Amino acid sequence: AQSVAQPEDQVNVAEGNPLTVKCTYSVSGNPYLFWYVQYPNRGLQFLLKYITGDNLVKGSYGFEAEFNKSQTSFHLKKPSALVSDSALYFCAVRVLVRYIFGTGTRLKVLA
Amino acid sequence: DAGVIQSPRHEVTEMGQEVTLRCKLISGHNSLFWYRQTMMRGLELLIYFNNNVPIDDSGMPEDRFSAKMPNASFSTLKIQPSEPRDSAVYFCASSLSTSGGADEQYFGPGTRLTVT
């Protein structure tokens, strides 16, 4: 079965430190990969996507993600976390007409 | 642009009643998605339309749920009869779907449904 896994329910990081939110996938074919962020009482907002080409993708608010085909991973990263980055982050995969979202990782940036 | 518009923002209804959720796509977008979010089950894709045609409805829970696109810019999600386990936040999202398929989705603010 095709799936997306976000192994950490919550990630805590100190403000100013680098952050990583993990995502791995198990799909057939070549997927398109996405990251979304959800702030409280809001809908999801698009952050970045990987289609093809350079494995390092840059997105909104200083976030970037690294595609690793051999490890089937698409981890979200940011060099220096801000308190305002605290939110719920979703990894998503599109394969053909199927969209699959991960369960979400809550990021808490501590001042 | 106003973004994806959903109405109502909050709905409280009694078990057995019909509920209709509404969504207006971003102008020019041609794909429409309905999602349900709960603490227990996370974010679930219910149905996905492209150019008014349902493409993937495998997430629709049961026959009590139905979704339509009466025109290219508007969609409804109907639950009849509603049950307490339908209580959730329902999101609508739209995208401009190209042949490549790597299109990001734009989400509405959601409708919080409570069935008592």
Side-chain angles (χ1 to χ4, degrees):
Chain A
Q2 305 192 100
S3 63
V4 174
Q6 293 182 241
E8 301 155 317
D9 289 338
Q10 181 159 320
V11 170
N12 295 328
V13 63
E15 186 176 28
N17 283 3
L19 69 86
T20 299
V21 182
K22 296 179 180 177
C23 173
T24 59
Y25 61 91
S26 175
V27 301
S28 55
N30 295 315
Y32 299 127
L33 298 156
F34 304 81
W35 276 102
Y36 290 83
V37 60
Q38 185 179 28
Y39 297 101
N41 301 312
R42 303 284 296 273
L44 279 67
Q45 296 177 33
F46 168 75
L47 275 180
L48 51 79
K49 65 183 176 184
Y50 173 81
I51 305 172
T52 186
D54 193 349
N55 289 343
L56 187 64
V57 178
K58 294 188 183 298
S60 306
Y61 312 121
F63 283 94
E64 57 189 28
E66 186 169 12
F67 171 66
N68 187 315
K69 187 172 183 177
S70 63
Q71 297 187 4
T72 61
S73 67
F74 189 55
H75 300 333
L76 182 70
K77 300 182 179 184
K78 187 173 182 181
S80 178
L82 300 172
V83 172
S84 57
D85 293 330
S86 298
L88 186 57
Y89 290 80
F90 289 92
C91 179
V93 170
R94 174 176 174 164
V95 180
L96 299 178
V97 297
R98 290 282 294 150
Y99 286 85
I100 307 168
F101 277 77
T103 52
T105 297
R106 189 164 300 281
L107 173 67
K108 192 169 184 179
V109 181
L110 307 170
Chain B
D1 199 321
V4 174
I5 299 172
Q6 290 188 247
S7 64
R9 294 293 310 277
H10 301 272
E11 176 80 32
V12 180
T13 191
E14 292 184 348
M15 182 174 62
Q17 296 299 305
E18 177 180 297
V19 175
T20 299
L21 311 182
R22 297 174 174 81
C23 174
K24 185 176 187 300
L25 285 67
I26 291 173
S27 177
H29 281 190
N30 60 357
S31 290
L32 181 282
F33 307 81
W34 281 104
Y35 292 90
R36 177 171 68 177
Q37 187 176 36
T38 62
M39 290 293 292
M40 291 296 295
R41 300 175 68 91
L43 188 69
E44 303 172 274
L45 175 64
L46 301 177
I47 188 168
Y48 153 45
F49 291 87
N50 181 248
N51 293 322
N52 300 8
V53 176
I55 303 298
D56 182 1
D57 64 355
S58 60
M60 294 288 266
E62 48 200 273
D63 292 345
R64 297 185 299 106
F65 286 69
S66 62
K68 294 182 179 179
M69 286 198 72
N71 58 58
S73 61
F74 184 74
S75 177
T76 59
L77 178 67
K78 187 175 293 186
I79 308 172
Q80 166 63 20
S82 58
E83 297 181 3
R85 61 193 169 114
D86 302 330
S87 297
V89 180
Y90 289 81
F91 289 104
C92 168
S94 73
S95 70
L96 177 58
S97 180
T98 62
S99 59
D103 34 281
E104 58 268 28
Q105 298 175 32
Y106 294 81
F107 283 72
T111 295
R112 184 174 296 276
L113 173 64
T114 303
V115 183
T116 60

